[in-house]
Amino acid sequence: MPIASEIFNLTFDAAEPRRLAEFWALALGYRLEPPPEGFATWEEALAAWNVPEDQWDSASAIIDPDGALPRIFFQKVPEPKTAKNRVHLDVRAWRYTTADGGRPPEADVRAAIDAKVAELVAAGATVVGTTEQYGNSWTVLQDPEGNEFCVT
């Protein structure tokens, strides 16, 4: 069975693809996609391909270090974001870590969410609000370009 990275990419429109890629790499535990073989940096590759320097931030991508999850691609678009996302990511700040595979104590879950939110705010996110409902809690944020996402 193919792994997710072989089936699809997730694509974000962006004003500054590299900046947004760096933010989401931090948020998801991904890394920037390395330059093609034979090049030490993307700048070196782009220069060798005669891409004008003012177009070097036209795209960026991040990859799962384990290669199992989908590649995320960021492409420059001229228009700004104008409406609420119809699809968004939920960033999981905690794992099912109890011996029986159950949910950790709520205080531990909330502490993990709060720590991840603080990390992402320091990286440029904005908190929109926090919700607790049906035994779950999450915080809604916007990334540096205003795309909504949740930390749960």
Side-chain angles (χ1 to χ4, degrees), residues 59-85:
S60 192
I62 60 175
I63 57 172
D64 171 27
D66 297 327
L69 299 174
R71 175 179 181 258
I72 302 177
F73 183 72
F74 301 85
Q75 63 186 4
K76 188 173 192 114
V77 295
E79 68 278 355
K81 181 180 177 300
T82 59
K84 183 181 183 303
N85 300 4

Side-chain angles (χ1 to χ4, degrees), residues 4 21-22 24 32 42 59 67 72 81 89-90 102 109 124 135 139:
E22 289 170 349
W24 281 104
L32 292 173
W42 275 105
I72 302 177
K81 181 180 177 300
L89 298 180
D90 285 347
V109 169
T139 300

Side-chain angles (χ1 to χ4, degrees), residues 103-118:
R103 184 181 172 102
E106 188 57 33
D108 293 349
V109 169
R110 186 74 247 166
I113 291 170
D114 291 346
K116 188 66 172 182
V117 167

